[in-house]
Amino acid sequence: SHYHILEKLGEGWMGVVYKAQDTKLDRLVALKFLPQHVSPSDLDKARFVQEAKAAASLNHPNICTIYGIEEVGAPEGASQTFIVMEFVEGQTLRVTAPVGADQPARPIGADVAGGRSALLLKQAIEIGIQIADGLAAAHEKGIVHRDIKPENIMLQKDGRVRIMDFGLAKLKGASRLTKAGSTVGTISYMSPEQVQGMETDHRTDIFSLGVILYEMFAGQSPFKGMHETAIMYEIMNVDPQPISTIKPEINADLDAIVLECLAKEQDQRYQSAKELVKNLKRFKQASSAQRFSRISTAQHFSPGPSTDRVAEPSKPTWRNYLWPVLTVIALIIGAVATWLLVQQRTAPPSRVTRFVVTLPEGQALHSIQGGPLVALSPDGTKMAFVGGSGANAQLFIRDMDTFEARPVPNTSDLFNASLFFSPDSRWLGLYSKGKIMKLSLDGGSPIAICNSLGGDASWGSGGTIVFRQDWGSPLWIVATDAGSTPKQLTKIKFDEGERAHISPHVLPGGTQALFTIWTGGSFEESLIAVVDLKTGEHRVILKGGSDARYVSPGYIIYARGSTVMAAGFDLNDLKVTGEPDPVTDNVRFAGALGHSLFSVSENGTLVLIKGGVEITPTEVFLSEGAGKTRTLSVKGVQFGDPLFSPDGKRLVVTIYGSTYQVGVFDIQRDVLTPLTFGADNWRHAWHADGSGISFSSNADGRYQIYTVSANGGGTPRKLFDQDGNPFPESWSPDGKYLAYTVTNKETGTDIWLYSANGEPKSKPL
């Protein structure tokens, strides 16, 4: 048909979904077919068509839009029916288990590594409101979803929630497609009536939503059977444990809302999703307007029973003297407490001081591809930044007790100056001329420590610097002595979804460091981990943030998009404690690299650059001489890194998305053809005759060089195996050799040659 398949998005019981380009309307869409392993019986087709009719009648911001249902001939002669629907980019409400845990995927909100919840309470409430709002719209049209579960809830980057897959929807008035007594849906999220194969209505969806709400707020499932039969028994017979007994911070009002959704009897649940929306919104408004606290009521004791008898005189005992003495002591304590209170009230209150730091006249901050432009010394007395641009870039130091910043001599060529202070605030670390350098703030020229391609770095109290060599590389560690040799510190666990290690921050003591694990997509979904500087072993401590730094006496400050967050942190157990709170927002965040442009000192001073999230879109321009330039683009697709084919008619490019892919752009026809799918595939080089393209891919868990046909046919072929993240550079004109680069622990980067026909296959140049 007129759809160009780009990649497979997923496969479930009732369909396989592909991402595609609608070549007629020039838009991205999702196409859903019956899976190949399913025999396309009349029953399956009827259910498939029913889904399209059900969802196509809905027009709501929290429901995936259906564009149409079409049919196309298959190679075997039989026709294939498929649904054309809106392409929704984001992630489902299901996250993977903690790193290293032998557990199945968990819903967002479940306790993840470090005992942290992946969602803030207010975020979970907002998600629940949006799901209920979408269901209310569907129920008003007589449509019951019947398969509400985390996998069918999509979270977009803008915070919108979308309900997907009405594959099990039962349209009011339509024939029953499920025979009596059968169960349809996903066991853990089924209502009691679904489990028993009984008649269902809209209240079934409310029960399933109740399970999701319970998981988001409690961090665990309300039904904990070890197998399907046990889960089904609990759904029908066991009342869930109140959330407030699991998470004491959960308010009883919210507990009541969720438990009403999970009532066994349909008549005891919310009778409409609209009613549920109203109650969730009311709770959200109430919780934002005030903080709930528990108040202990003092107990009052009444005297014993009175008597009409006149008491006989008694001899004085020690008890007769005790009460006057205690009374005097209490009065003294009260007087001292009152005096202290008065002193406290008359003392000046603690204040937060905010001010704008002006740059030297004629200077602007030097832009270095989203890297840190400013650094605050640990003791809070100095601030370093780079001003100017290009060859005029200049390092400045400002003492925080002065009004002026002073230029630092011998630093006018810092073209890639990521800045970081030593723990004693006497040295400044920086990148320059392909090296990590250190500069004494007492004077002198920068001293080279080791070679580095440039990246993030942190100076620890143990006399070491932890840094990132290049994008997609692990973290490295090096001693701070001149001419030291770095060694690899971390290992990227590609098989567990890790894609890059960035933003290290050495913790006090110099034996552990925080860093960010990029898992693809938005950095708001990244992981914050801690690594042992001796063993290189790392574990995740927080999900949903990046660029973390430690602040005494027990906090980590990190970025969640353009918002700087703070969370309690136990330095002994290396665990996050308590719920995170926002510190400030509208902080410049380099969305393509995961850097938040702030720096914090040990005394709590925070310096930052305003600006919000910045993701610069990539554009490719073609210069055709005589001042003629045109933009090469495909609507809805970002691509870059263009390289001409030998004949000059095509470009090989990197297609940017949740993963990097290799594609070929036809200059004459303005058509982009993806050549790779799945893992990260990039760093490309044309074959000398233009027939193929070599590129680097982490499909095997580490980067290796592959080759694929340039016309879009065939499967990529791996050329060889070699350590050091080999990246192709160029093929020789005769097609006999491929020059490629390899990261070397001793020398930094080496050039090697691969022989297409001779031996040895690979040798250093």
Side-chain angles (χ1 to χ4, degrees), residues 251-262:
N251 185 270
D253 293 343
L254 186 58
D255 215 348
I257 292 173
V258 177
L259 293 180
E260 186 169 342
C261 293
L262 295 174

Side-chain angles (χ1 to χ4, degrees), residues 9-10 17 30 61-65 85-94 108 126-128 130-131 145 147-166 212 216 525 658:
L9 295 176
V17 184
N62 297 123
I63 296 176
C64 176
T65 303
M85 52 187 157
E86 175 186 13
F87 173 65
V88 179
E89 194 162 16
Q91 68 171 30
T92 65
L93 196 63
R94 175 75 68 180
I108 283 184
E126 179 58 32
I127 289 172
Q130 292 191 50
I131 299 173
H145 191 287
D147 195 21
I148 293 296
K149 58 185 178 182
E151 289 84 350
N152 284 336
I153 307 297
M154 188 74 78
L155 301 180
Q156 294 179 257
K157 292 182 180 179
D158 61 2
R160 185 189 300 181
V161 174
R162 308 295 288 275
I163 303 174
M164 314 292 293
D165 198 352
F166 278 76
I212 291 177
M216 287 196 297
E525 303 155 9
S658 58

Side-chain angles (χ1 to χ4, degrees), residues 359-360 363-366 373 385-390 392-396 414:
L359 302 182
Q363 288 287 353
L365 285 173
H366 177 38
L373 301 174
F385 63 90
V386 179
S389 61
N392 296 319
Q394 174 71 55
L395 176 66
F396 290 86
L414 303 177

Side-chain angles (χ1 to χ4, degrees), residues 21 47 63 88 104 194 230-231 272 310 336 351 432 434 438 462-463 486 500 526 601 615 642 664 683 711 730 758:
Q21 181 79 17
R47 189 189 303 280
I63 296 176
V88 179
Q194 274 182 301
I231 293 173
S272 72
V310 177
V336 172
R351 300 181 62 186
S432 180
K438 63 179 181 179
S526 294
S601 69
I615 301 180
V664 169
R683 301 275 185 110
N711 62 14
S730 64

Side-chain angles (χ1 to χ4, degrees), residues 424-660:
D424 60 8
S425 303
R426 295 177 57 191
W427 292 82
L428 182 68
L430 49 90
Y431 284 92
S432 180
K433 301 177 181 179
K435 298 179 183 294
I436 294 181
M437 296 187 171
K438 63 179 181 179
L439 175 68
S440 173
L441 299 184
D442 295 328
S445 300
I447 300 171
I449 295 176
C450 68
N451 293 328
S452 176
L453 301 178
D456 331 309
S458 175
W459 192 322
S461 59
T464 56
I465 293 174
V466 178
F467 64 99
R468 172 177 63 85
Q469 275 276 23
D470 195 7
W471 183 259
S473 76
L475 297 180
W476 291 65
I477 188 169
V478 66
T480 56
D481 301 322
S484 296
T485 301
K487 64 177 182 179
Q488 185 174 329
L489 174 62
T490 63
K491 181 179 180 181
I492 299 177
K493 302 175 182 177
F494 292 104
D495 57 337
E496 296 181 9
E498 298 183 6
R499 304 272 294 285
H501 291 174
I502 64 171
S503 304
H505 176 80
V506 181
L507 292 168
T511 61
Q512 310 278 347
L514 301 169
F515 70 96
T516 300
I517 299 174
W518 183 59
T519 57
S522 168
F523 278 95
E524 293 187 41
E525 303 155 9
S526 294
L527 309 173
I528 294 174
V530 63
V531 59
D532 188 298
L533 301 189
K534 290 184 179 180
T535 66
E537 295 297 318
H538 68 269
R539 62 181 177 85
V540 176
I541 61 169
L542 181 65
K543 178 177 172 60
S546 62
D547 216 354
R549 303 101 188 265
Y550 177 82
V551 179
S552 180
Y555 295 92
I556 57 170
I557 308 293
Y558 65 96
R560 182 175 289 164
S562 62
T563 302
V564 173
M565 307 289 293
F569 185 74
D570 189 322
L571 196 56
N572 294 320
D573 294 335
L574 300 175
K575 290 183 178 180
V576 174
T577 59
E579 288 292 330
D581 289 310
V583 176
T584 186
D585 58 7
N586 195 31
V587 178
R588 183 177 165 194
F589 183 81
L593 297 176
H595 293 300
S596 184
L597 299 193
F598 75 90
S599 183
V600 63
S601 69
E602 291 179 353
N603 67 358
T605 302
L606 180 71
V607 60
L608 55 92
I609 299 171
K610 291 285 189 178
V613 177
E614 292 186 356
I615 301 180
T616 305
T618 301
E619 291 186 285
V620 177
F621 298 93
L622 180 66
S623 174
E624 299 175 307
K628 293 176 59 180
T629 302
R630 67 184 175 101
T631 304
L632 305 181
S633 64
V634 174
K635 189 174 181 180
V637 181
Q638 290 285 318
F639 59 90
D641 305 328
L643 286 179
F644 274 112
S645 61
D647 61 10
K649 296 180 180 179
R650 295 172 294 171
L651 295 171
V652 59
V653 298
T654 300
I655 302 172
Y656 304 124
S658 58
T659 56
Y660 293 160

Side-chain angles (χ1 to χ4, degrees), residues 28-41:
L28 290 175
V29 295
L31 307 181
K32 181 174 180 181
F33 294 81
L34 285 173
Q36 294 181 355
H37 62 79
V38 173
S39 175
S41 65

Side-chain angles (χ1 to χ4, degrees), residues 93-106:
L93 196 63
R94 175 75 68 180
V95 294
T96 56
V99 174
D102 185 18
Q103 299 175 16
R106 298 181 178 186

